Each structure stands twice: as structure tokens, then as C-alpha cells.
Amino acid sequence: MARSVNSVASRARRKRILKQAKGYFGRRKNVWTVAKNAVEKAMVYAYRDRKQKKRNFRALWIMRINAGARLHGLSYSQFMGKLKANNIELNRKVLADLAMNHPAAFAAIVNQVK
């Protein structure tokens, strides 16, 4: 009896990987073994960077809040400490947006905590 190899599933698996490698340069887009390695590495980077994106945005928000607070004579840590003491529950994303795009509103918050 002949050996059964599920070539339909094998081809589908390869096509799926090659479809994910679309747009890659050189042999990474059309040679199965090279494309498979490239796609696996890309997935690792994607997983890692979904976590790093959160860290990077938090760091950006902190820089913007710090810059806005220093214009009013406070450091970032002093400003955040006074916010907590005054029970103002605005998150860093909102505070950073106010510091960048609405300086008058940010100034009002700073004056309220001083």
C-alpha cells in the first residue's frame, strides 16, 4: 500500500507562510526555507514589540508631562506627587496630551495642585 502524504495540507501550510512573507526582499519572499525563517523571526519581533510599544509610549508621556511641569517650576515627580495628594485621577496619556496640545488646560491643573 502506498504511503499517504497529505500534500494538500503541506501546500496550504507553505502557501500561508509565503503569503506572510509577501513584500520581503530577495529570496525571503519566495524560497520556502528562507521565508519560513524570516516569518518566524518577524513574529518574534512582533510579539516582543507589542510589549515594548507600551513602554515606549509611557516614556514619551512622562517626557511630555515633565517638560510641561518644568515650565511651571515643578519636576515630574513633584507634579505627580501633588496630583495624587489632591486626588486628581488623570492618567499620563491624558496629561501628556494636555501638556502638548492644550497648555492653558495643563496650566490650570498645575495651578490647582500648587
Side-chain angles (χ1 to χ4, degrees), residues 49-62:
D49 291 339
R50 280 196 297 275
K51 313 290 180 270
Q52 282 191 350
K53 184 174 157 185
K54 295 165 182 62
R55 296 177 217 161
N56 292 338
F57 268 103
R58 185 182 168 95
L60 176 69
W61 297 333
I62 288 171

Side-chain angles (χ1 to χ4, degrees), residues 79-92 94-95 98 106 108-114:
F79 176 65
M80 293 307 281
K82 290 183 179 190
L83 275 180
K84 297 281 185 270
N86 286 299
N87 293 323
I88 298 174
E89 294 182 5
L90 289 174
N91 63 20
R92 286 167 182 81
V94 172
L95 287 168
L98 290 175
F106 189 76
I109 293 170
V110 172
N111 291 334
Q112 190 176 350
V113 299
K114 270 190 172 177

Side-chain angles (χ1 to χ4, degrees), residues 17 20-30 34-35 37-43:
I17 294 289
Q20 287 178 308
K22 188 176 177 191
Y24 288 8
F25 183 82
R27 282 193 266 187
R28 308 175 117 222
K29 71 172 168 276
N30 54 14
V34 181
N37 291 336
V39 168
E40 283 177 0
K41 188 71 168 177
M43 294 294 188

Side-chain angles (χ1 to χ4, degrees), residues 1-6:
M1 189 172 173
R3 185 170 72 98
S4 173
V5 288
N6 192 353

